[in-house]
Amino acid sequence: AAGTNLTFQINPNFEVLSFKGRKALIVSNNHIFGGKTTLLGPIFYGAGFFCLGMAIFFALKQILRPRRIGDKRYLQYKED
């Protein structure tokens, strides 16, 4: 909530001065996909459904019209 004081103890487990690096702590609110991004969830679902649809499509294609292994009709050779 707003106005809440948070205290953190940071241990120097990883040295960053040798390569002029720095450490940062980001505090954000908790969400199923993290942060305030409300568009990320639907994008994940859309990508998942797309992959599922493609998997079903190719599985049905393989079941209904399978390609014979070693069929020379599908091979193309570069002719000189």
Side-chain angles (χ1 to χ4, degrees):
T4 302
N5 291 328
L6 302 173
T7 305
F8 298 95
Q9 178 182 354
I10 300 174
N11 298 321
N13 292 336
F14 303 100
E15 191 271 327
V16 295
L17 293 177
S18 65
F19 56 88
K20 297 180 183 174
R22 61 183 178 170
K23 296 180 182 183
L25 179 68
I26 299 173
V27 180
S28 180
N29 47 340
N30 193 8
H31 189 265
I32 189 169
F33 294 111
K36 296 181 179 180
T37 307
T38 57
L39 186 62
L40 198 56
I43 289 174
F44 283 154
Y45 278 114
F49 283 126
F50 174 76
C51 291
L52 181 65
M54 293 302 290
I56 291 171
F57 169 76
F58 284 114
L60 288 174
K61 181 186 177 303
Q62 182 64 24
I63 291 170
L64 298 176
R65 297 188 63 182
R67 175 182 163 188
R68 286 185 25 220
I69 296 176
D71 191 352
K72 293 183 180 180
R73 291 182 302 171
Y74 295 105
L75 300 176
Q76 295 178 358
Y77 294 101
K78 183 179 178 182
E79 296 186 24
D80 294 323

